[in-house]
Amino acid sequence: MRAAHSRARHQNDPRRILTDPLAPKILRLDSGDLPPLPDDPTDLYGIRFLAARSRFAEDVLAAAVATGTRQLVVLGAGLDTFAYRNPHAGLRVFEVDHPATQVWKRQQLAAAGVGIPSSVTFAPVDFERDSLAGAMASAGLDRDRPVFFFWLGVTPYLTRDAVLATLRFMAGHSGPVQVVFDYYGEAPSTLSPRLRAVREAAAKLVAELGEPWLTCFTPEDIADELRAMGLDRVDDLVGRELIARYIDGPVPDADPVGGRVILAGRTTTP
């Protein structure tokens, strides 16, 4: 819900990074119902980071589609709307999420009058308990053809073992594979007292909501893990550098969690 609200509020941003007209609609909000963008630089940074990570993933996907990729897997889809504004003819989209979350999302879509395209396939799975491979096989993913994965806003909430097991599933794909995912870096020792307090408050909030942050990585750690899996391309982007790709002017260093985005892939068969 927080991610969806951030994408919806971002539609009123004069420095818009991601155009997503369905973001307010899936929440059944009119543009006038959305609160104004925050004055606090950390809150504004967070909204723009969520927009930038989605924009980046969608841009890289477009390049992959242009070279023949016709399968997209959205892991931990939540209230993401890409599948319902997908501009790519012939691209099949698999939405993977917890069964209860998928039921709720479909209710939200129906209430908002957003139809489910025939290109969308739902694959219910609990990342901590179920077999992702089994769920994707049942959904009809072709492991021999190129595939692209979106995995945004998920890894901090899983155990390290679950994160790495999911990445190994992706890396084990027989055909060419690419994934865009984000992660939280280790808390830098140089955090200002204000940002440290923000981080601690945010961690306390998500824990109280029953979704505590469980996993973070250093850039060197996650890169080593990915290359050991056979993913020979690893592009790791600092959050503020990613935002700066899409807006003019300086981006404040206002990130309390060290959010980063990785594009990893392999263009050959393993």
Side-chain angles (χ1 to χ4, degrees):
M1 285 291 288
R2 292 180 67 193
H5 272 277
S6 290
R7 287 192 298 271
R9 292 176 74 184
H10 179 66
Q11 301 313 295
N12 291 333
D13 192 334
R15 303 171 81 184
R16 187 191 299 169
I17 296 168
L18 176 73
T19 298
D20 182 358
L22 297 183
K25 195 170 184 180
I26 199 172
L27 294 169
R28 302 177 67 187
L29 295 172
D30 295 324
S31 58
D33 296 329
L34 293 170
L37 289 172
D39 294 325
D40 181 86
T42 302
D43 291 342
L44 183 57
Y45 178 100
I47 288 174
R48 287 177 172 163
F49 174 74
L50 294 185
R53 73 184 186 186
S54 291
R55 168 71 181 276
F56 176 72
E58 293 179 19
D59 286 353
V60 180
L61 170 67
V65 170
T67 59
T69 297
R70 294 294 180 269
Q71 299 181 109
L72 169 67
V73 179
V74 185
L75 296 170
L79 292 178
D80 186 81
T81 65
F82 176 80
Y84 313 96
R85 51 184 176 80
N86 170 20
H88 307 298
L91 177 67
R92 187 175 182 188
V93 182
F94 300 86
E95 285 208 348
V96 182
D97 216 331
H98 191 283
T101 303
Q102 286 194 338
V103 169
W104 171 63
K105 180 175 188 173
R106 296 180 77 159
Q107 292 170 345
Q108 292 290 111
L109 290 167
V114 177
I116 299 174
S118 60
S119 58
V120 176
T121 299
F122 293 96
V125 62
D126 183 330
F127 284 97
E128 294 284 359
R129 296 178 176 84
D130 299 334
S131 164
L132 180 57
M136 297 314 305
S138 297
L141 180 70
D142 188 338
R143 297 279 276 168
D144 295 321
R145 296 174 56 224
V147 64
F148 203 105
F149 291 90
F150 288 175
W151 200 24
L152 302 174
V154 178
T155 65
Y157 302 95
L158 301 181
T159 62
R160 179 185 176 92
D161 286 348
V163 171
L164 296 179
T166 303
L167 290 168
R168 288 190 194 100
F169 165 79
M170 300 179 204
H173 193 74
S174 299
V177 59
Q178 293 186 82
V179 54
V180 173
F181 70 98
D182 61 333
Y183 71 98
Y184 289 169
E186 298 283 359
S189 58
T190 55
L191 272 182
S192 69
R194 186 184 74 84
L195 287 181
R196 191 175 302 115
V198 171
R199 182 186 179 105
E200 291 170 356
K204 182 174 184 290
L205 174 62
V206 295
E208 290 173 347
L209 292 172
E211 295 286 354
W213 292 335
L214 300 176
T215 301
C216 57
F217 295 93
T218 65
E220 297 78 15
D221 180 20
I222 190 62
D224 287 346
E225 293 284 0
L226 292 167
R227 293 193 176 101
M229 296 174 195
L231 298 175
D232 52 17
R233 176 181 183 179
V234 180
D235 299 338
D236 191 326
L237 305 172
V238 178
R240 63 181 178 277
E241 294 174 353
L242 184 63
I243 295 171
R245 287 181 172 220
Y246 303 111
I247 63 175
D248 296 327
V251 176
D253 186 7
D255 179 7
V257 297
R260 303 172 74 104
V261 173
I262 282 183
L263 165 62
R266 188 194 63 247
T267 56
T268 58
T269 56

